[in-house]
Amino acid sequence: MMKIYYDKDVNSSVLDGKTIAVIGYGSQGYAQANCIKDSGLNIVMGLRMGGKSWERANRDRFPVFPIPDAVKKSDVVMMLVPDTVQPSLYKDQISPYLKPGKTLVFAHGFNIHFKTIVPPTNVDIIMVAPKAPGPSLRELYLNQFGVPALIAIHQDYTGKAKQTALSIAKALGSTKAGVIETTFKDETESDLIGEQIVLVGGIIELLKKGFEVLVELGYPPELAYFETCNEIKLIVDQIYHAGVIGMLRAVSDTAKYGGMTIGPKVIDARVKNNMKNVAKNVQSGEFAKKWLKEDANGRPIFNVLMKQWQEHQLETVGKSIRSMSGIEKEK
Ligand code: NAD
Ligand code: MG
């Protein structure tokens, strides 16, 4: 079995007297910066002057600086801006100030693995990748627990890269849940494959097609929403706490029999084959190339698809149900 790191395996003294700069205050930036601050480490924020994040981080009582100043003031720099923004931001605002012996931390291996960022050899390049969306990371931390994380070492110039990665993971609460060591390649590829075939792509398409089938058969959309979208959370919660067997124990025998016999007819060998093709496309770098080009061209496909999702009946019906029941609060 793989070694799993917990709180007791971490010697946080590598970060004694060190300053951590968090660059970006979005989904991960907000969650990670607040956890690191609450864990008592020395933190500064590096943000765009006058931007929305700048105001928000100021309100949240962080010392906020323009990105180059935050990099100059710190020993550890955490790159928490979108992956597509990282290459140019690194080149213009980070690399000129990344002195020998500093540590650059990524939350996803994308730019190092696909070589869109090539750092000098005299710095530590590490990854601390929490396996959860930012808001869940923060919520579990506040509940005195954490989300699991992956760490990886791409360059260990100081000889302390692994303890630095573990110490940051501990500050995020992740060593309470468990941390495993991997490589930038494995994290990047498995993260992209996982989000495409299961976590994001697989789930939203499964929900959409399931919802559409029920509605096309004449069942009310509200009923279809409860049956697919709402209940999936409760089923997944059961799996999260007690595994697939735990979930199966919690549903009726009719649901067990129907689920186990019919499931493989729905998600059949063709679907598995599609998943393998998706994986190949990620491993070859084709997906990364296509996404960076789409982003550079102003995201024409991305924007159309987001709009289609916003307008889909699953979303419009779901939104009114969630706001009437109080599940979704108005922002
Ligand atoms: P995000 O889109 O939420 O981050 C946006 C923030 O980046 C903004 O709030 C702003 O502070 C900053 N920003 C955006 N454009 C900028 C620019 N041009 N110049 C300077 N600052 C800019 O990003 P995220 O989803 O938190 O992702 C950050 C990193 O974390 C990525 O490497 C991502 O792969 C990784 N990650 C994300 C998640 C997740 O749940 N979202 C999970 C694990 C890892
Ligand atoms: Mg991902």
Side-chain angles (χ1 to χ4, degrees):
M1 195 173 159
M2 248 181 142
K3 164 111 181 109
I4 304 184
Y5 296 90
Y6 295 101
D7 279 352
K8 63 174 173 34
D9 303 310
V10 187
N11 175 0
S12 291
S13 66
V14 278
L15 292 180
D16 285 352
K18 297 278 166 73
T19 299
I20 298 174
V22 171
I23 313 298
Y25 202 51
S27 176
Q28 285 295 322
Y30 173 87
Q32 295 198 25
N34 280 284
C35 296
I36 288 170
K37 184 169 75 165
D38 291 350
S39 294
L41 299 179
N42 210 352
I43 184 171
V44 297
M45 297 299 303
L47 300 171
R48 275 177 298 187
M49 223 169 168
K52 269 199 210 130
S53 294
W54 180 283
E55 276 170 42
R56 194 171 170 220
N58 255 321
R59 252 184 283 130
D60 295 344
R61 300 177 182 280
F62 282 99
V64 186
F65 299 96
I67 295 166
D69 295 342
V71 176
K72 279 185 225 164
K73 283 178 190 301
S74 62
D75 310 285
V76 176
V77 180
M78 299 183 57
M79 185 71 119
L80 295 175
V81 300
D83 298 306
T84 47
V85 170
Q86 290 179 14
S88 61
L89 190 133
Y90 171 80
K91 184 165 159 274
D92 302 335
Q93 301 186 61
I94 294 182
S95 77
Y97 315 101
L98 200 60
K99 291 283 166 314
K102 289 196 184 195
T103 300
L104 185 59
V105 191
F106 291 86
H108 178 35
F110 193 99
N111 285 298
I112 292 292
H113 177 62
F114 294 116
K115 299 193 167 53
T116 30
I117 291 178
V118 181
T121 52
N122 57 9
V123 295
D124 286 359
I125 302 292
I126 65 177
M127 172 168 42
V128 180
K131 292 282 95 183
S136 315
L137 169 77
R138 183 63 181 151
E139 195 184 319
L140 268 102
Y141 179 92
L142 289 172
N143 289 336
Q144 319 292 325
F145 197 57
V147 300
L150 304 180
I151 58 162
I153 315 299
H154 178 69
Q155 281 178 195
D156 186 7
Y157 177 74
T158 64
K160 296 179 185 153
K162 188 158 160 184
Q163 278 306 326
T164 306
L166 284 170
S167 302
I168 291 168
K170 184 175 183 183
L172 302 178
S174 290
T175 38
K176 291 200 164 68
V179 168
I180 58 182
E181 186 171 1
T182 180
T183 61
F184 273 64
K185 174 180 187 291
D186 283 4
E187 184 277 340
T188 304
E189 292 178 355
S190 61
D191 185 80
L192 295 174
I193 294 167
E195 70 198 13
Q196 291 175 18
I197 69 179
V198 179
L199 300 178
V200 183
I203 284 185
I204 63 177
E205 217 42 46
L206 187 68
L207 286 176
K208 181 164 88 172
K209 294 209 162 79
F211 174 88
E212 286 171 358
V213 165
L214 287 167
V215 171
E216 284 164 23
L217 290 172
Y219 301 104
E222 291 77 8
L223 186 156
Y225 177 81
F226 281 134
E227 201 52 51
T228 54
C229 210
N230 186 268
E231 205 169 335
I232 199 173
K233 179 205 177 340
L234 310 174
I235 293 286
V236 170
D237 279 350
Q238 295 287 339
I239 298 175
Y240 175 84
H241 287 292
V244 171
I245 285 292
M247 181 277 282
L248 287 174
R249 280 202 196 104
V251 300
S252 69
D253 286 350
T254 311
K256 286 188 196 61
Y257 175 72
M260 291 189 294
T261 58
I262 307 302
K265 295 192 206 285
V266 178
I267 310 292
D268 63 6
R270 285 171 306 171
V271 175
K272 188 166 177 188
N273 203 37
N274 293 340
M275 290 177 170
K276 286 201 169 146
N277 288 334
V278 167
K280 272 188 211 142
N281 200 45
V282 166
Q283 290 166 334
S284 68
E286 264 319 292
F287 170 78
K289 211 160 85 191
K290 208 166 175 181
W291 165 225
L292 292 172
K293 193 167 158 219
E294 162 81 4
D295 181 66
N297 289 341
R299 306 188 172 191
I301 299 170
F302 180 101
N303 292 332
V304 168
L305 294 174
M306 283 295 284
K307 185 153 182 291
Q308 281 176 5
W309 263 106
Q310 272 157 10
E311 291 166 357
H312 194 281
Q313 198 180 15
L314 174 66
E315 269 307 290
T316 53
V317 169
K319 195 161 182 55
S320 73
I321 287 179
R322 292 191 302 271
S323 66
M324 280 192 305
S325 66
I327 291 175
E328 183 170 340
K329 311 266 182 295
E330 286 303 321
K331 288 248 172 74

